[in-house]
Amino acid sequence: MAKQIWKPGNMLYPLPAVMVSVADKEGNPNIITVAWAGTVCTNPPMVSISVRPERYSYHMIDETGEFVINLTTEKLAYATDYCGVRSGKDVDKFKELHLTPEKAEYVNAPLIAESPVNIECKVVKKETPGSHHIFLAEVKAVHVDDAYMDQKGRFALEKTDPIVYVHGQYYSLGKLLGTFGYSVKKPTKKNGKKKKK
């Protein structure tokens, strides 16, 4: 199979497309869409987001050290894109998109009520490697929508219809291919018989 060699670039896809809600020191809110967000570690629970310094929300995060990551869904796809291409200095995104700001427990940035998962974050470190600055943050609380809790008490994130970002395009997620560890899972007994491999 032939492959082309391209110049160095970012081709690590798909990525979560998240709406990051922020507020300045006076409490004025804004939303910025970020595709460069990820998990850093489990203990303590930490995440990261990468933001260009020229973005309107950058100074809010830099000054307050707080933000909320709001997971996105198919229903929020339009808002997700809008918050990434329109600046908060020109428009009130909460008002324009009819999104509902909700008070967080540990940070002053608002949650987006329409998001099924809101992750409250406090910055512990900032790195400045280049075009984007990385905010490493500790997770202070996670809010999940009761509507997606199943009968076993598991949060069914897949039922929220989450979306991802792939090289300039948004996609919904497809069918389940397996669960963590399924490739090495031992055969289980069913009706007194072992499953065939």
Side-chain angles (χ1 to χ4, degrees):
M1 169 176 16
K3 290 188 177 178
Q4 297 180 17
I5 299 176
W6 292 359
K7 66 179 183 180
N10 294 305
M11 284 298 290
L12 182 62
Y13 295 108
L15 297 167
V18 299
M19 292 192 290
V20 176
S21 46
V22 298
D24 63 19
K25 289 182 177 179
E26 288 72 45
N28 301 305
N30 191 44
I31 306 167
I32 178 176
T33 296
V34 173
W36 294 358
T39 298
V40 174
C41 60
T42 302
N43 190 16
M46 292 183 67
V47 294
S48 69
I49 60 171
S50 296
V51 183
R52 287 182 181 270
E54 56 267 28
R55 295 294 296 268
Y56 180 70
S57 292
Y58 175 90
H59 78 277
M60 298 183 187
I61 301 169
D62 198 34
E63 290 171 6
T64 66
E66 298 178 343
F67 59 89
V68 177
I69 293 176
N70 303 274
L71 299 193
T72 56
T73 65
E74 288 183 24
K75 288 181 180 177
L76 289 170
Y78 179 89
T80 301
D81 184 65
Y82 187 94
C83 289
V85 296
R86 292 297 303 269
S87 175
K89 67 183 176 186
D90 301 321
V91 64
D92 180 338
K93 297 178 190 177
F94 275 100
K95 185 177 180 182
E96 186 71 20
L97 296 166
H98 307 289
L99 296 173
T100 310
E102 283 189 344
K103 184 171 173 49
E105 292 292 319
Y106 297 96
V107 301
N108 290 319
L111 314 177
I112 299 174
E114 289 75 13
S115 170
V117 179
N118 318 98
I119 305 168
E120 295 187 45
C121 305
K122 285 203 174 189
V123 176
V124 296
K125 189 176 184 182
K126 179 177 75 171
E127 297 286 352
T128 59
S131 63
H132 292 66
H133 292 181
I134 305 165
F135 292 100
L136 297 170
E138 185 170 351
V139 175
K140 304 309 287 186
V142 178
H143 304 251
V144 296
D145 191 331
D146 284 339
Y148 300 102
M149 299 299 292
D150 68 17
Q151 294 176 344
K152 295 181 180 178
R154 182 185 75 92
F155 180 70
L157 180 62
E158 70 280 3
K159 294 190 183 301
T160 70
D161 298 321
I163 60 173
V164 293
Y165 181 78
V166 182
H167 201 54
Q169 298 174 311
Y170 303 95
Y171 289 91
S172 58
L173 295 180
K175 64 182 179 180
L176 174 68
L177 301 177
T179 57
F180 179 76
Y182 83 102
S183 63
V184 295
K185 193 173 182 180
K186 293 181 181 178
T188 58
K189 291 183 179 180
K190 188 175 181 182
N191 299 328
K193 295 180 180 179
K194 283 190 176 181
K195 285 184 176 178
K196 292 181 180 179
K197 289 184 178 180

